[in-house]
Amino acid sequence: KGPAGPGTDIAVKTRAQTKRPSLYKVLLLNDDYTPMEFVVYVLERFFNMSTDSAYHVMMTVHTKGVAVVGVYPYEVAETKVTQVMDCARSNQHPLQCTMEKE
Ligand code: TYC
């Protein structure tokens, strides 16, 4: 029996290393109809970018087709995607935003 009597030992599980939370890239996709100013507004509002950065990122999406606009833990990334998609939809723009594991 243990020092404090029978059945009193505490089981402790150990892990080799603590897991870091996985990060997810939030991607903005180009389309032919969403106005450039609206994309700049979305990047400023939901991704806390300055107007200059937002314009630069918008032009990257416009010319390359897609760009990473942020990297976040799963739930934050999911919230950003939902916010962008809801905002685009309510303004009747076809703007698409998705996420993928980093
Ligand atoms: N291609 C759009 C236009 O010419 C602008 C645009 C940029 C749309 C980025 C979506 O994610 C986007 N009006």
Side-chain angles (χ1 to χ4, degrees):
K1 66 182 170 69
T8 57
D9 289 359
I10 297 165
V12 177
K13 286 187 181 175
T14 58
R15 284 199 154 151
Q17 212 200 331
T18 53
K19 290 187 208 156
R20 290 171 303 155
S22 305
L23 293 176
Y24 289 77
K25 296 183 285 196
V26 173
L27 308 168
L28 202 61
L29 309 185
N30 189 35
D31 66 72
D32 292 339
Y33 305 104
T34 304
M36 289 183 172
E37 316 81 72
F38 182 80
V39 179
V40 170
Y41 164 77
V42 160
L43 292 171
E44 288 172 341
R45 176 169 171 189
F46 299 116
F47 299 92
N48 311 310
M49 291 185 195
S50 65
T51 305
D52 277 6
S53 310
Y55 185 81
H56 182 83
V57 172
M58 180 281 294
M59 285 309 293
T60 303
V61 180
H62 178 68
T63 56
K64 304 205 173 193
V66 61
V68 176
V69 296
V71 179
Y72 308 96
Y74 186 86
E75 286 194 5
V76 178
E78 202 180 38
T79 301
K80 301 277 181 199
V81 170
T82 302
Q83 286 172 329
V84 172
M85 295 301 284
D86 286 354
C87 184
R89 171 174 280 242
S90 63
N91 287 278
Q92 295 168 292
H93 296 311
L95 183 64
Q96 294 293 309
C97 184
T98 58
M99 60 192 271
E100 65 178 38
K101 201 164 189 233
E102 204 183 37

